[in-house]
């Protein structure tokens, strides 16, 4: 039972403690930079299918990899990250990616096209805040397993239900198209042509 005497004694001890303990000063070692950052915008988890705020996206960018990324030397070009090469069908509806061999998860398990398909399907099926980035292409929970598929161990195929003015080249390098294991506006025709040239 809490009595007035216990409450006063506890409060007095708490107030006196800093005087007895003293302050704890710490000096930063030479050649060390200390950086503080506000991370109060983290909502949800460090999951590319859910992450949509700046801080968790920054972390996800260091945890997960993408099929393709902008070329660091020329941001108008794309280079493969997990995809070593890719091709786009003439009609612009099918994107075929050759997954780089020898890429391993932290567990030591090799990355396969099935893992890549699962990752992208999962974003569509969960349809959390970043889901629109992929669902804008016509993929939904009903068709995604037929439209994003593994064709063998290292071949990933993405099919679009219909031609798009804004192409996948704009979307695949973005943060929510990062892969994890199972455990724009344009003028239409010329925009599609530029997209195929960029991916080709």
């Amino acid at each position: 039972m809490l009595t007035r005497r216990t409450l006063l004694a506890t409060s007095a001890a708490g107030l006196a403690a800093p005087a007895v303990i003293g302050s704890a000063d710490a000096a930063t070692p030479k050649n060390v930079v200390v950086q503080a950052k506000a991370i109060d915008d983290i909502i949800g988890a460090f999951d590319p299918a859910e992450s949509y705020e700046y801080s968790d996206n920054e972390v996800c960018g260091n945890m997960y990899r993408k099929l393709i990324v902008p070329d660091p030397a020329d941001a108008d070009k794309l280079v493969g990250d997990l995809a070593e090469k890719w091709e786009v069908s003439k009609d612009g509806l099918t994107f075929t990616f050759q997954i780089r061999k020898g890429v391993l998860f932290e567990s030591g398990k090799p990355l396969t096209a099935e893992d890549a398909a699962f990752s992208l399907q999962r974003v569509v099926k969960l349809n959390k805040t970043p889901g629109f980035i992929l669902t804008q292409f016509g993929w939904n929970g009903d068709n995604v397993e037929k439209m994003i598929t593994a064709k063998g161990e290292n071949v990933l195929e993405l099919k679009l239900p219909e031609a798009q003015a804004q192409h996948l080249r704009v979307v695949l390098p973005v943060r929510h198209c990062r892969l994890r294991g199972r455990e724009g506006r344009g003028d239409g025709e010329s925009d599609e042509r530029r997209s195929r040239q960029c991916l080709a």
Side-chain angles (χ1 to χ4, degrees):
M1 181 169 141
L2 183 63
T3 64
R4 186 184 311 179
R5 184 173 294 175
T6 307
L7 179 62
L8 289 172
T10 307
S11 299
L15 292 172
V20 175
I21 297 171
S23 63
D25 293 330
T28 303
K30 292 182 180 184
N31 300 324
V32 173
V33 174
V34 177
Q35 180 180 2
K37 180 176 177 163
I39 56 170
D40 57 345
D41 64 334
I42 295 175
I43 298 171
F46 296 119
D47 180 344
E50 295 184 54
S51 164
Y52 199 69
E53 301 302 326
Y54 181 79
S55 296
D56 41 352
N57 282 326
E58 186 176 17
V59 172
C60 285
N62 289 293
M63 292 172 54
Y64 303 104
R65 293 179 61 187
K66 304 171 192 171
L67 290 170
I68 54 177
V69 295
D71 185 340
D74 183 356
D76 289 334
K77 294 181 182 173
L78 295 173
V79 295
D81 183 10
L82 293 173
E84 67 182 341
K85 61 183 178 178
W86 59 92
E87 60 184 43
V88 182
S89 64
K90 289 186 180 189
D91 62 5
L93 295 176
T94 304
F95 296 75
T96 306
F97 295 89
Q98 182 72 41
I99 303 296
R100 196 176 302 280
K101 292 181 182 178
V103 177
L104 302 176
F105 286 105
E106 290 294 317
S107 66
K109 178 188 172 290
L111 172 74
T112 65
E114 193 172 316
D115 294 313
F118 169 83
S119 297
L120 296 173
Q121 290 170 0
R122 185 172 174 273
V123 174
V124 172
K125 288 178 181 178
L126 287 176
N127 201 22
K128 300 279 187 162
T129 305
F132 79 92
I133 296 170
L134 293 179
T135 60
Q136 68 180 319
F137 294 102
W139 295 318
N140 58 54
D142 295 330
N143 70 10
V144 71
E145 288 187 24
K146 295 175 188 153
M147 306 298 281
I148 300 177
T149 57
K151 301 290 184 185
E153 191 172 317
N154 292 86
V155 178
L156 174 68
E157 185 177 87
L158 309 180
K159 289 188 173 194
L160 298 176
E162 57 187 39
Q164 306 284 328
Q166 180 173 342
H167 248 278
L168 284 172
R169 75 167 179 89
V170 177
V171 170
L172 287 177
V174 302
R175 59 188 177 250
H176 308 290
C177 295
R178 295 184 183 105
L179 303 184
R180 56 182 277 154
R182 280 164 281 154
E183 15 211 305
R185 295 183 195 171
D187 58 355
E189 178 62 31
S190 63
D191 205 34
E192 285 185 19
R193 197 174 334 103
R194 280 194 301 272
S195 299
R196 281 196 292 274
Q197 288 169 353
C198 191
L199 279 170

